[in-house]
Amino acid sequence: MKKLVLVMMIFILSFAIIACEKEEEIEEVTLTVWASELDQTLTRTLADEFIEANKDEVKLTIEIGPQSESTAADSILADIEGAADVFSFADDQFNRLMEAGALQEVSENTAAVIAANGGATSGSIMAATKNGKLYAYPMTADNGYFLFYDKSVYTETDVQTLDGILAKAQADNSIFTMQINNGWYLYSFFQGAGLSLSYNGTVNDANWDNETGVKVAQAIIAMAEHPAFENRVDADFSAGVANGTVSAGINGVWNASVAETAWGENYAATKLPTYTLNGVQTQMASFAGYKLVGVNQTTDEPYWAMKLAEYLTSEQAQIRRFTAQAWGPSNVAAAQSTEVQASPAIAALALQSQFATIQNVGGNYWSPTESFGNQIVDTTLSSTSTAAEILAALQAMVQGIEAAPAS
Amino acid sequence: MNNMKTNTLLQKPASKNKMMTSLKDFGLALKHGDLFVKLSALVLGMGFFKRKQYAKGIIYVFIQIIFTLFAVFVGIPSMSKISTLGTVEYEVIYDPNLRDNVVNNYDNSFLILLYSLFAILFTVVFILFWFNNIKHQYRIQKIVEDGHRLPTFKEEIKTYLDEKFHVSLLTLPILGIVIFTIIPLIFMFLIAFTNYDENHQPPIKLFTWVGFKNFSLLFDFGRSSQAFGYAFGIIIIWTLIWAFFATFLNYFGGIWLAMYINSKTVKFKKVWRTIFVLTIAIPQFVSLLLIRYFFSDYGIMNTIAQNAGLLQFFKDIGWVKPGLAYIPFLSGPVWTRVMLILINCWVGFPYVMLIATGVLLNIPKDLYESAEIDGANKYQQFKKITMPYMLFVTAPYLITSFIHNMNNFNVIYLLTNNRPTSDLKLAAVDARDVDLLVTWLFRLTSEQANFKMASAVGVILFLISVVFTLLAFNYVIRGNKEDNFQ
């Protein structure tokens, strides 16, 4: 019996000793990061560097999971507490994430982060700011769209107008493509025509359902019905470029490497073309898009999560991300580097930027515009539709866009 | 004895009697029990200590302590907030010196609801336990008074491997059902009466009760601006149509194929069967994704159809709108629905073929022989012998596959995920014209975080499934039907 007690005592004591030893050790922190499938390798490298750089202060373990930036909010909002501590997302989801309270305010080195991205009035900072407070770290300033084209098919004058592109594509027996049933791209026509879309933090306001709107819709229909036009989703665009059926298209930098590989020397990119609105050439507008890195409001380690987010979006990280993925930096110094300046895609974005607006829209914008675009794709709305029919469809869309979010 | 037991289970009046006697026993126990029996109403298991059954006494006291601790620290605090599901919102301030977020003592609606549910369940269980405890104390008091020996703790444990073996055997499965099915089901049911969605997500935001609002949104059939009712109407009708065709086309297609392969004119029977079984061997989602690729607007099927003049043919008869440059196999609302049913046949009927082959080989040959002698033709034989036999054997399969098809997530979602709809009202509630209730539910949760509406849809889906199952099982597989089969 005594022996047993002795053994027990030793056992308990050894625990106590281990516990004491632990106290002297440095803090252990585990963070999870969600980054784009395309950006996994670089994120891993940067994370390892971050671990190494801070090893005197903290013992970090960083797990990285793949999560497309375009649907990040869906996954985060399905379970905020279960989501990653640090995640990247496209700025169209900023309002949605803010509404749900998922974003931690940037509270370490805030001024430096703002300055590095061009100050409080720069687009990337404004896209991550609400009520004067910064809630995310800008990672790229390239999440907009522009025109890709094959120089062997089009001249520089051809790509100035939509009509020019379509005529050349038809002559070449190839395809010009854009995704109409997607509010993100559809916006370019309406905004270009001078119609407005705004968001006051709760509901959207749009004036697309008027005579000009009908004319815009008719212009889109004319494009959609052109034999050289095909409505294609992202994946079909890159597939078409790769197999040579697509010779021009409106898309974003994430497909720049596909176009460069397929077209080689003939790869070119420029601002969006003009389209014929009521006989007048009208410049297509676009959304200026940013990719942001956010910190989860419910994280257990806000300090290290913020530090990591800052590191993942630092100047060096952005330059390396450009080298690896051709993603355009939001960091001003990084954007100035000669490599970045030489990229056709980035140059095209810069050209387009004068016609681009920040994506400040509420969640109810996307579904109605997708459906409206799809009505053109499935020819519910066609050149045989009357102005009244088109107006009715526009009114239904605007009603949806302006609908108050479900309480 | 055994007979009596089944009787009490089957007949309602008897079970009522059982409850009454149980209550009576309880009253008697309290009335005639000695001091310790009465004390055990306050402190569980007091009687055990008096009768020197210490081990059991300690277990009972321990259970009471655990329950009390749970009630004081979790149950009562949660239950006190159940009417509002919490009022204190999450507030956070980052403290740069602490390098940490300072969070207030906020309410978490989700946990309040979950713990309250546990509290209610535990309380019910505890009351039953308390009730039985008193009867138990009285029983052992009487055993001692009658001069019998009480079983020792070891002996009682042993009974769980012997005459009470059913209890030991069933504990785990029942616990599993309660934890993994019943509690989540009740929880989902409760969520359907709250406003738990993207903008009311714990821990950061609170959610609260909204009564029948979610259900009234579903059942207003298009009158509200939110269009949930409109989408619900379309989706539920399509769900039923889909389940009907998916089930019966597969069923009869499979039987037909099995009979055809079985018939004397077909050679290399095994080869044909193997070929069809191969479609089972390929993972379903792989075939579905490939099929989706084949039938996409600019996919290979469209190229073939265009070259073969099918596109023009369909345009001429008006099945494809004149402006389209492709057949909208998986993008036009009607086309997609028909294609979905056909594709589902392709991936589904080999299963039925296998089952039917087995059943067909089992039908006694003499039935057919005597039918032939009586001059019945093939169709009459099929109608009078094959089909009744098939139906008799496969009725349970038919019912379960109807329910399964109502919830056939894979086929619908893998083939039509990300497919835009032209219907603004459907789009407004994130529904698609080919959604089943279950795929809509998935979209609502995983893409919109609209848990309240998803729960309401889930409750309805559950009710429909239950009603269909009960009806079908009652009418089709009524116990002693074997005798009726001729």
Side-chain angles (χ1 to χ4, degrees), chain B residues 217-416:
Chain B
L217 272 179
L218 275 187
F219 284 106
D220 76 349
F221 295 113
R223 271 175 285 133
S224 114
S225 60
Q226 289 201 24
F228 271 106
Y230 173 80
F232 181 65
I234 288 184
I235 289 174
I236 200 164
I237 289 170
W238 163 237
T239 304
L240 293 176
I241 292 176
W242 155 264
F244 178 82
F245 279 110
T247 309
F248 288 98
L249 279 184
N250 271 359
Y251 188 66
F252 289 110
I255 292 177
W256 177 81
L257 191 68
M259 280 173 50
Y260 189 71
I261 292 178
N262 245 9
S263 74
K264 288 168 197 155
T265 48
V266 174
K267 283 172 185 159
F268 314 117
K269 290 184 168 54
K270 282 188 181 160
V271 177
W272 299 123
R273 259 178 225 142
T274 315
I275 288 175
F276 283 107
V277 170
L278 270 183
T279 62
I280 299 178
I282 300 168
Q284 204 188 43
F285 82 95
V286 175
S287 359
L288 289 177
L289 289 176
L290 275 176
I291 289 171
R292 180 180 181 162
Y293 195 65
F294 288 160
F295 285 99
S296 72
D297 287 349
Y298 299 104
I300 190 159
M301 278 305 180
N302 256 304
T303 317
I304 293 171
Q306 210 164 348
N307 293 340
L310 266 181
L311 175 64
Q312 198 50 47
F313 170 72
F314 282 128
K315 277 184 180 176
D316 291 343
I317 59 171
W319 284 12
V320 173
K321 288 184 191 164
L324 286 182
Y326 49 83
I327 302 174
F329 287 118
L330 289 175
S331 57
V334 180
W335 274 97
T336 313
R337 286 183 174 135
V338 175
M339 286 303 295
L340 282 173
I341 288 171
L342 293 179
I343 292 169
N344 184 60
C345 274
W346 172 249
V347 296
F349 74 68
Y351 292 92
V352 184
M353 184 203 75
L354 275 187
I355 296 172
T357 308
V359 176
L360 288 177
L361 292 177
N362 258 326
I363 301 179
K365 286 279 175 292
D366 47 347
L367 282 178
Y368 289 106
E369 279 162 14
S370 50
E372 248 167 59
I373 291 166
D374 289 347
N377 60 25
K378 286 276 173 210
Y379 173 71
Q380 280 168 325
Q381 287 178 22
F382 174 75
K383 201 180 149 194
K384 297 282 182 191
I385 302 170
T386 317
M387 257 344 270
Y389 202 94
M390 273 303 296
L391 271 178
F392 170 70
V393 177
T394 57
Y397 167 81
L398 209 54
I399 296 154
T400 45
S401 81
F402 187 82
I403 304 289
H404 167 80
N405 275 320
M406 269 177 53
N407 296 316
N408 198 334
F409 182 84
N410 281 6
V411 173
I412 303 280
Y413 190 79
L414 291 177
L415 287 172
T416 66

Side-chain angles (χ1 to χ4, degrees), chain A residues 57 73-81 96-105 107-108 179 181 225 229-232 236 239 296-304 306 364 367-372 374-380 393 396-397 399 404-407, chain B residues 90 92-101 103 106 108 195-205 213 225-226 228 293 296-298 321-324 326 331-333 418-430 432 445-452:
Chain A
E57 225 180 317
D74 290 347
S75 305
I76 294 159
L77 295 179
D79 178 10
I80 296 176
E81 277 186 294
R96 227 181 123 194
L97 290 168
M98 281 307 295
E99 291 279 307
L103 293 172
Q104 162 98 23
E105 188 192 337
S107 327
E108 290 282 345
Q179 198 186 351
N181 49 4
E225 290 186 349
F229 177 84
E230 268 180 21
N231 182 68
R232 286 189 175 213
D236 290 344
N296 193 325
Q297 176 77 85
T298 61
T299 179
D300 292 328
E301 299 291 343
Y303 176 79
W304 290 110
M306 282 193 276
N364 276 344
S367 288
T369 44
E370 179 187 289
S371 286
F372 177 81
N374 203 50
Q375 288 175 10
I376 295 178
V377 173
D378 75 6
T379 69
T380 308
M397 167 170 67
Q399 200 188 352
S407 58
Chain B
Y90 184 93
V92 61
I93 297 161
Y94 181 74
D95 186 336
N97 298 323
L98 283 178
R99 290 182 166 187
D100 206 352
N101 282 332
V103 181
Y106 61 96
N108 185 327
N195 63 352
Y196 181 21
D197 62 13
E198 185 170 307
N199 294 334
H200 298 92
Q201 208 183 133
I204 294 157
K205 300 283 167 76
K213 194 177 152 206
S225 60
Q226 289 201 24
F228 271 106
Y293 195 65
S296 72
D297 287 349
Y298 299 104
K321 288 184 191 164
L324 286 182
Y326 49 83
S331 57
N418 289 336
R419 169 185 176 281
T421 173
S422 295
D423 192 328
L424 286 157
K425 280 177 120 179
L426 283 180
V429 291
D430 208 44
R432 299 289 178 266
T445 41
S446 76
E447 290 170 17
Q448 301 292 302
N450 197 342
F451 304 111
K452 54 172 188 183

Side-chain angles (χ1 to χ4, degrees), chain A residues 165-225:
Chain A
I165 296 170
L166 288 169
K168 260 293 173 60
Q170 191 174 12
D172 180 54
N173 206 13
S174 58
I175 296 295
F176 165 73
T177 165
M178 162 178 188
Q179 198 186 351
I180 303 174
N181 49 4
N182 182 333
W184 203 50
Y185 294 107
L186 195 68
Y187 175 81
S188 58
F189 289 94
F190 289 95
Q191 181 70 22
L195 296 172
S196 78
L197 169 72
S198 60
Y199 176 63
N200 68 1
T202 334
V203 288
N204 296 309
D205 182 55
N207 67 345
W208 296 6
D209 49 343
N210 54 27
E211 217 173 296
T212 321
V214 174
K215 292 272 175 354
V216 172
Q218 280 166 341
I220 304 172
I221 290 168
M223 175 183 82
E225 290 186 349

Side-chain angles (χ1 to χ4, degrees), chain A residues 81-369:
Chain A
E81 277 186 294
D85 299 292
V86 177
F87 44 77
S88 58
F89 62 98
D91 66 331
D92 60 279
Q93 298 150 43
F94 180 72
N95 284 322
R96 227 181 123 194
L97 290 168
M98 281 307 295
E99 291 279 307
L103 293 172
Q104 162 98 23
E105 188 192 337
V106 176
S107 327
E108 290 282 345
N109 284 340
T110 318
V113 172
I114 293 174
N117 288 290
T121 53
S122 76
S124 61
I125 292 296
M126 275 162 70
T129 304
K130 184 139 190 176
N131 302 330
K133 288 175 182 168
L134 186 67
Y135 284 94
Y137 299 79
M139 176 169 77
T140 76
D142 64 352
N143 214 26
Y145 42 90
F146 49 87
L147 179 75
F148 283 103
Y149 67 97
D150 179 350
K151 269 195 279 190
S152 67
V153 179
Y154 307 91
T155 64
E156 281 193 22
T157 13
D158 292 334
V159 296
Q160 293 305 312
T161 64
L162 192 55
D163 301 333
I165 296 170
L166 288 169
K168 260 293 173 60
Q170 191 174 12
D172 180 54
N173 206 13
S174 58
I175 296 295
F176 165 73
T177 165
M178 162 178 188
Q179 198 186 351
I180 303 174
N181 49 4
N182 182 333
W184 203 50
Y185 294 107
L186 195 68
Y187 175 81
S188 58
F189 289 94
F190 289 95
Q191 181 70 22
L195 296 172
S196 78
L197 169 72
S198 60
Y199 176 63
N200 68 1
T202 334
V203 288
N204 296 309
D205 182 55
N207 67 345
W208 296 6
D209 49 343
N210 54 27
E211 217 173 296
T212 321
V214 174
K215 292 272 175 354
V216 172
Q218 280 166 341
I220 304 172
I221 290 168
M223 175 183 82
E225 290 186 349
H226 197 282
F229 177 84
E230 268 180 21
N231 182 68
R232 286 189 175 213
V233 297
D234 237 38
D236 290 344
F237 166 81
S238 42
V241 168
N243 69 21
T245 47
V246 170
S247 60
I250 294 175
N251 217 291
V253 275
W254 51 91
N255 275 326
S257 51
V258 177
E260 204 171 348
T261 322
W263 294 334
E265 284 287 284
N266 291 319
Y267 159 62
T270 186
K271 69 169 181 62
L272 297 180
T274 59
Y275 70 101
T276 313
L277 175 68
N278 208 10
V280 182
Q281 286 301 316
T282 310
Q283 174 62 45
M284 287 170 81
S286 68
F287 277 129
Y290 305 91
K291 280 178 190 158
L292 309 171
V293 172
V295 172
N296 193 325
Q297 176 77 85
T298 61
T299 179
D300 292 328
E301 299 291 343
Y303 176 79
W304 290 110
M306 282 193 276
K307 281 283 172 199
L308 177 61
E310 194 181 334
Y311 189 77
L312 291 175
T313 56
S314 63
E315 182 189 334
Q316 279 310 308
Q318 294 201 8
I319 291 178
R320 286 157 71 184
R321 198 169 282 117
F322 173 80
T323 320
Q325 309 290 343
W327 290 3
S330 64
N331 184 295
V332 181
Q336 292 306 323
S337 76
T338 43
E339 285 170 305
V340 176
Q341 293 289 326
S343 153
I346 303 299
L349 266 176
L351 262 180
Q352 178 64 27
S353 66
Q354 49 187 318
F355 312 112
T357 42
I358 291 187
Q359 213 174 133
N360 185 27
V361 292
N364 276 344
Y365 170 76
W366 306 102
S367 288
T369 44

Side-chain angles (χ1 to χ4, degrees), chain A residues 40-78:
Chain A
Q40 293 285 303
T41 326
L42 181 62
T43 311
R44 182 73 262 170
T45 317
L46 290 170
D48 289 340
E49 288 172 14
F50 183 73
I51 293 171
E52 188 63 23
N54 293 291
K55 69 174 177 195
D56 297 335
E57 225 180 317
V58 64
K59 189 162 183 277
L60 277 163
T61 313
I62 298 176
E63 287 155 13
I64 296 172
Q67 168 61 54
S68 164
E69 279 120 359
S70 58
T71 53
D74 290 347
S75 305
I76 294 159
L77 295 179

